[in-house]
Amino acid sequence: AEGGAPSFLRTHPLTSERIADVANRVEQMPYKQVSDSVEFQYVRAKLLANNGVVETNIAVFEQNIREHRYTNEAAEHYGLAVAYVRKNAFVQAEKEIAWLKKNAPPHAMIENLSAHLQVAKNNPQLAAKQYAEALKLFPDNRALIYGYADHFLAIRQADSAIKLVKDKQSLYPDDAYFYDVLAKAYTMQNKVLLSHQALSEAYYRKYNLARAIEQMELATKATDGDFYQKSIVEARLKELRRL
């Protein structure tokens, strides 16, 4: 029944015949050039800004802007701002971020960098305000959620970190980092059962089943959980062991 099927669909085609058939099909496909997305341009600029000698990176971005050598002007200003933050040149970084907010379309990466700058400047109140406002514009942006959660942990506001993660966790139920944040926050609160439980779920989502079981076993042995919490971790431990 395979006689009339293309070579690449047969269960046991000759390797050389399959390669030739696919190559022929590729050659017949029309050429299509895909434009770089804004995200690609920003990520590329961020990588360039964070690697190598920072003074050299700053000089390159400044020269590109001065000589109009760029595909996306906003990406050059973004990269320059990242490099300035890396150098702790906060006044210059603020000027670049101000340029971006005035001249570039709103973007989560710009907002995240703006809030991160306030963290770097040790201005926690303004950082929190910027993260909160940014998440109103981009409520499902993972980088902003990470940054806000890390900010709460850094200033030891465990309750706020837990609330943020609980509010956003349904968007990314398989994200291990959310559980890592919960584990750290519960540790700050001296909640042993919940901390081990969260860490177990983090390991499970990192495909480390042995460590997940180990942490859930510690959760079942904790003495600070209520009946409901203990029932949950015991049931989850049985499930992990079956896996």
Side-chain angles (χ1 to χ4, degrees):
E2 291 184 350
S7 296
F8 71 91
L9 290 179
R10 297 177 194 168
T11 52
H12 298 289
L14 293 173
T15 302
S16 58
E17 184 181 356
R18 175 166 36 186
I19 293 172
D21 185 66
V22 171
N24 184 52
R25 290 173 183 274
V26 170
E27 288 176 359
Q28 293 177 13
M29 291 175 66
Y31 173 75
K32 182 180 179 182
Q33 186 170 0
V34 180
S35 302
D36 293 337
S37 66
V38 173
E39 285 75 19
F40 174 85
Q41 296 288 352
Y42 282 157
V43 171
R44 179 177 179 274
K46 183 176 181 179
L47 291 172
L48 290 172
N50 280 321
N51 286 279
V53 180
V54 67
E55 288 80 7
T56 302
N57 297 339
I58 289 171
V60 170
F61 284 120
E62 287 179 337
Q63 183 177 9
N64 289 345
I65 293 168
R66 186 170 58 251
E67 298 179 2
H68 303 283
R69 292 192 304 176
Y70 44 71
T71 305
N72 184 317
E73 184 179 9
E76 297 299 315
H77 284 276
Y78 175 83
L80 183 55
V82 172
Y84 277 139
V85 173
R86 182 183 168 200
K87 190 184 176 183
N88 293 329
F90 299 141
V91 173
Q92 293 93 324
E94 282 186 331
K95 289 180 180 178
E96 295 305 318
I97 291 172
W99 186 97
L100 286 163
K101 289 187 175 183
K102 180 180 179 181
N103 296 285
H107 198 281
M109 290 184 71
I110 297 173
E111 297 299 326
N112 196 32
L113 178 60
S114 180
H116 176 68
L117 172 61
Q118 299 308 320
V119 173
K121 291 175 64 178
N122 195 26
N123 194 341
Q125 289 184 332
L126 189 52
K129 180 182 178 182
Q130 291 198 11
Y131 276 124
E133 291 177 351
L135 280 170
K136 290 178 183 177
L137 296 173
F138 307 99
D140 60 347
N141 183 266
R142 209 177 324 206
L144 284 169
I145 300 168
Y146 285 178
Y148 203 10
D150 287 342
H151 164 72
F152 283 135
L153 291 177
I155 61 175
R156 303 194 67 80
Q157 289 188 7
D159 288 343
S160 297
I162 292 167
K163 184 181 185 303
L164 173 66
V165 169
K166 293 289 188 181
D167 287 346
K168 300 294 184 180
Q169 204 163 23
S170 61
L171 295 170
Y172 306 105
D174 295 320
D175 191 321
Y177 192 73
F178 284 108
Y179 286 98
D180 281 328
V181 170
L182 287 176
K184 292 174 183 176
Y186 286 134
T187 297
M188 288 182 186
Q189 296 178 332
N190 295 315
K191 294 181 178 179
V192 179
L193 181 147
L194 292 176
S195 177
H196 286 302
Q197 180 190 27
L199 200 52
S200 173
E201 297 295 350
Y203 278 123
Y204 174 74
R205 284 157 180 78
K206 296 173 186 175
Y207 308 100
N208 192 335
L209 190 57
R211 295 298 296 275
I213 291 171
E214 177 185 276
Q215 288 297 320
M216 199 63 74
E217 286 174 342
L218 291 171
T220 63
K221 296 174 183 176
T223 59
D224 63 337
D226 59 31
F227 175 79
Y228 178 70
Q229 291 168 338
K230 289 180 178 179
S231 298
I232 290 175
V233 297
E234 286 170 1
R236 181 61 166 150
L237 178 59
K238 289 179 181 178
E239 184 180 0
L240 291 173
R241 283 173 172 165
R242 281 198 301 270
L243 293 173

